Amino acid sequence: TATDKMVEQFTESISFDRRLWRHDIAGSVAHAQMLAEAGLVGDAESKQIVTALEQIGREIEAEAFEFRTDREDIHMHIESVLIERLGDAGRKLHTGRSRNDQVATDLRLWTRDAIDQVDRLLVELQRVLVNAAERERDVILPGYTHMQRAQPVLAAHYFLAYVEKMERDRQRLADCRKRVNVLPLGAAALAGTSLPIDRESVRKKLGFDGVAANSIDASSDRDFAVEFVFCLTMIAEHLGGWA
């Protein structure tokens, strides 16, 4: 029996998690290559899977890929199309992993990229403020305290105060990134796998600093996402004060 359309609309997440497509494909490519290295799939099959995944990525980027609510999320979309195109070879991609550790890996990859993007933007804004401080070095502004004018200050001093605030924001992001950049893949559903997978191989391919030590924690941890949101809140507060 087909799932009722209202249920599909209630349970789908593809409307927002489609933004994870690059990360889902990157994680799957690394996993497929590792499976061949570990002898769990053949080299030819692994190359087939990687080629098909890369083609799916190109189609998504070109907006030539169909997204459907009956496929629920980005992981099911990519996996379903992979199986349609490769048959049993496509099904082997899920060897040694679960949707749980796959989702956790995708989210960490996305958050890591977001942290790096925000950091780049903060650096750019710091440069703008430093240039403004140099350009307006002789301008004097009234400094305020308790909502009243207090001491005169140089505009440069005011601009550079926000450079310092943003530097602390960057430090918070860098510290958060350390906890983000840990590979959960290999935790499977929650208790690992008996298959001889090579987590170190996947870690290196995806640029993680380390692998998660506990599989239950790895599949359930979302602390890093909360921490990232806190960092963004602090940044927004500083930008609001500057504006």
Side-chain angles (χ1 to χ4, degrees), residues 55-205:
Q55 178 59 36
I56 290 170
R58 287 191 291 271
E59 291 171 16
I60 296 175
E61 191 162 30
E63 299 183 354
F65 186 89
E66 181 187 11
F67 290 106
R68 299 166 16 189
T69 56
D70 64 318
R71 284 179 174 165
E72 189 177 340
D73 57 28
I74 189 62
H75 325 291
M76 190 177 294
H77 272 76
I78 292 173
E79 183 180 333
S80 298
V81 173
L82 189 69
I83 292 171
E84 285 175 5
R85 296 181 183 181
L86 300 183
D88 286 341
R91 291 185 179 89
K92 291 183 180 181
L93 176 61
H94 224 51
T95 302
R97 78 173 180 184
S98 164
R99 183 62 49 83
N100 294 10
D101 59 349
Q102 181 183 358
V103 171
T105 301
D106 288 2
L107 184 55
R108 283 178 182 270
L109 288 170
W110 183 91
T111 305
R112 187 178 70 185
D113 282 354
I115 286 172
D116 292 345
Q117 173 67 2
V118 173
D119 185 69
R120 284 192 293 270
L121 291 172
L122 285 172
V123 170
E124 187 176 330
L125 185 51
Q126 284 178 310
R127 288 197 182 106
V128 169
L129 289 168
V130 169
N131 290 338
E134 179 65 28
R135 186 179 63 249
E136 311 295 346
R137 60 192 307 167
D138 296 324
V139 174
I140 298 174
L141 298 174
Y144 282 76
T145 179
H146 296 86
M147 305 297 290
Q148 296 181 26
R149 291 185 178 184
Q151 296 170 287
V153 297
L154 291 175
H157 199 53
Y158 183 76
F159 293 150
L160 295 176
Y162 284 90
V163 172
E164 295 298 323
K165 295 177 190 297
M166 289 167 198
E167 188 60 27
R168 289 195 299 275
D169 291 331
R170 293 188 61 217
Q171 291 169 4
R172 289 187 190 95
L173 286 170
D175 194 51
C176 174
R177 195 184 192 280
K178 295 175 185 176
R179 285 174 286 283
V180 170
N181 208 30
V182 178
L183 176 70
L185 207 63
L190 69 110
T193 174
S194 60
L195 294 173
I197 61 172
D198 186 348
R199 299 177 71 201
E200 272 296 308
S201 172
V202 178
R203 179 194 71 76
K204 292 175 184 176
K205 288 177 172 61

Side-chain angles (χ1 to χ4, degrees), residues 206-222:
L206 295 177
F208 283 99
D209 292 332
V211 296
N214 184 284
S215 63
I216 297 175
D217 179 59
S219 63
S220 62
D221 173 30
R222 299 296 184 272

